[in-house]
Amino acid sequence: MSDFTFGSLPHKDLTSIAQLSTAEVGLIFDTAAELKKNRRQHDALLKGRKLAMIFEKDSLRTRFTFDVGMQDLGGHAVFMDHRDARIGARESIRDVAKNLERWVDVVVARTFKHRVVTDLAESCSIPVINGLSDYLHPCQALSDFFTLHEKWGGQVAGRKIVYVGDGNNTCHSLVHTAAKLGAHITVCTPEGYEPNSKVVNEAMREAVSTGSEVVIVSDPHKAVEGADAIYTDVWASMGQEDEVEERNAIFLDYQVDEELMALANPDAFFMHCLPAHRGAEVTAGVMDGPQSVVFDIAENRLHVQKAILVLLLNK
Ligand code: CP
Ligand code: NVA
């Protein structure tokens, strides 16, 4: 029987990686590692606790892993499908929050506007977790880096991760986390699709103390030289469906294919948050090839989010 002592995070919510310290990210990783190693031994940690999942967008991984994660820990999840109407349309976000806090212990929100997640968090007395907004995807980035932390024996600092594609929500949280952990992050996008300057500035400030290098470039062939991991995501995110054709043309040279992978270090990993489009942002050969760790990342969503739930609720 494991004698691991579970700690807690000193924050009410998890809406952005920017709010976490490097040590707190380490605490999440240590907790996730324990929950992964001894998955069946912690089935009463959140006994009787209830999670509300309130989603404006589709989801496979986030929805399943939070639901299964609560079940693993002895708790229960309730899914609220908000795809037909944005949160705050039928009644104010504050009123939604004031209701939810009377029934459940924690909320995961997946939204279009990031402001909806932060408004929910500010209005609720219970923890609110960002399950993806148009701006950030913190649970994803923590799972991405937890996977690298496992693969590299805890030595993430000083490694080079190259994100190729759209400077979107996934990219933003990846940049935040890299800077937090002292990893070097190069973001390579077509002109006009760079990551948000606020995120880049936050990461660059953080990088001064962690030794991370944050670089924004546009040439994928140069960008991936010396890369220890190459990451990509869809070219059109949820909500940008009407831009698919235009983006497919603009991002054509940013496909992660075998030729691009060959320019990185020979043991470089291929990473993707999923869902992926084989033949668009990644070739089938890379996605399903030996360097791909995409399903390890997907598995780790479960362990990392269980850690987040425990650390936010263990007060
Ligand atoms: N990566 C991710 O968040 O997947 P879903 O959109 O399926 O939840
Ligand atoms: N950038 C993608 C991530 C999906 C997990 C989107 O927002 O649709």
Side-chain angles (χ1 to χ4, degrees), residues 187-224:
V187 177
C188 180
T189 73
E191 206 188 313
Y193 293 87
E194 295 87 356
N196 184 292
S197 57
K198 182 169 182 278
V199 169
V200 175
N201 290 336
E202 283 166 348
M204 283 184 169
R205 272 199 302 276
E206 185 88 43
V208 174
S209 55
T210 63
S212 159
E213 283 168 19
V214 181
V215 180
I216 313 298
V217 295
S218 60
D219 179 343
H221 293 91
K222 280 200 197 127
V224 301

Side-chain angles (χ1 to χ4, degrees), residues 57-71:
K57 296 174 174 172
D58 289 341
S59 172
L60 173 69
R61 281 147 291 274
T62 309
R63 179 174 175 176
F64 260 88
T65 48
F66 270 111
D67 194 335
V68 172
M70 281 304 280
Q71 291 183 41

Side-chain angles (χ1 to χ4, degrees), residues 37-52:
K37 187 166 148 229
N38 295 311
R39 181 167 171 190
R40 305 291 166 206
Q41 288 185 27
H42 301 297
D43 56 358
L45 265 184
L46 296 185
K47 193 167 190 293
R49 301 293 193 105
K50 306 270 186 292
L51 163 71

Side-chain angles (χ1 to χ4, degrees), residues 57-272:
K57 296 174 174 172
D58 289 341
S59 172
L60 173 69
R61 281 147 291 274
T62 309
R63 179 174 175 176
F64 260 88
T65 48
F66 270 111
D67 194 335
V68 172
M70 281 304 280
Q71 291 183 41
D72 274 2
L73 296 165
H76 189 78
V78 181
F79 184 75
M80 200 168 153
D81 188 344
H82 242 284
R83 281 174 302 179
D84 289 338
R86 306 253 168 131
I87 302 164
R90 183 161 173 259
E91 57 191 310
S92 73
I93 293 168
R94 186 174 180 279
D95 284 355
V96 172
K98 296 322 258 177
N99 279 271
L100 290 175
E101 70 185 23
R102 300 292 180 113
W103 305 321
V104 300
D105 302 280
V106 53
V107 176
V108 175
R110 169 166 284 205
T111 65
F112 286 91
K113 288 192 183 131
H114 184 65
R115 186 78 219 162
V116 174
V117 180
T118 54
D119 281 355
L120 266 177
E122 280 161 24
S123 310
C124 252
S125 58
I126 56 173
V128 172
I129 299 169
N130 181 357
L132 177 148
S133 66
D134 277 356
Y135 183 47
L136 298 173
H137 198 1
C139 297
Q140 180 66 50
L142 287 169
S143 309
D144 297 330
F145 271 95
F146 177 66
T147 306
L148 293 177
H149 171 87
E150 284 186 320
K151 303 271 179 207
W152 292 334
Q155 303 302 310
V156 169
R159 296 281 195 157
K160 178 177 175 182
I161 293 114
V162 181
Y163 178 96
V164 181
D166 183 28
N168 61 16
N169 44 8
T170 300
C171 171
H172 291 161
S173 289
L174 202 73
V175 168
H176 273 153
T177 314
K180 201 68 69 179
L181 297 177
H184 305 315
I185 179 95
T186 297
V187 177
C188 180
T189 73
E191 206 188 313
Y193 293 87
E194 295 87 356
N196 184 292
S197 57
K198 182 169 182 278
V199 169
V200 175
N201 290 336
E202 283 166 348
M204 283 184 169
R205 272 199 302 276
E206 185 88 43
V208 174
S209 55
T210 63
S212 159
E213 283 168 19
V214 181
V215 180
I216 313 298
V217 295
S218 60
D219 179 343
H221 293 91
K222 280 200 197 127
V224 301
E225 275 172 22
D228 296 304
I230 298 182
Y231 198 119
T232 193
D233 184 14
V234 292
W235 292 335
S237 285
M238 289 181 277
Q240 296 172 332
E241 288 77 9
D242 55 352
E243 295 175 40
V244 167
E245 231 168 273
E246 181 193 348
R247 282 171 174 261
N248 280 350
I250 291 168
F251 283 86
L252 211 53
D253 294 338
Y254 292 79
Q255 183 185 64
V256 180
D257 57 12
E258 287 78 350
E259 186 205 335
L260 200 68
M261 284 303 294
L263 298 175
N265 286 340
D267 54 356
F269 294 122
F270 170 71
M271 307 174 74
H272 194 308

Side-chain angles (χ1 to χ4, degrees), residues 272-284:
H272 194 308
C273 59
L274 308 181
H277 300 106
R278 289 173 179 78
E281 75 272 7
V282 60
T283 58

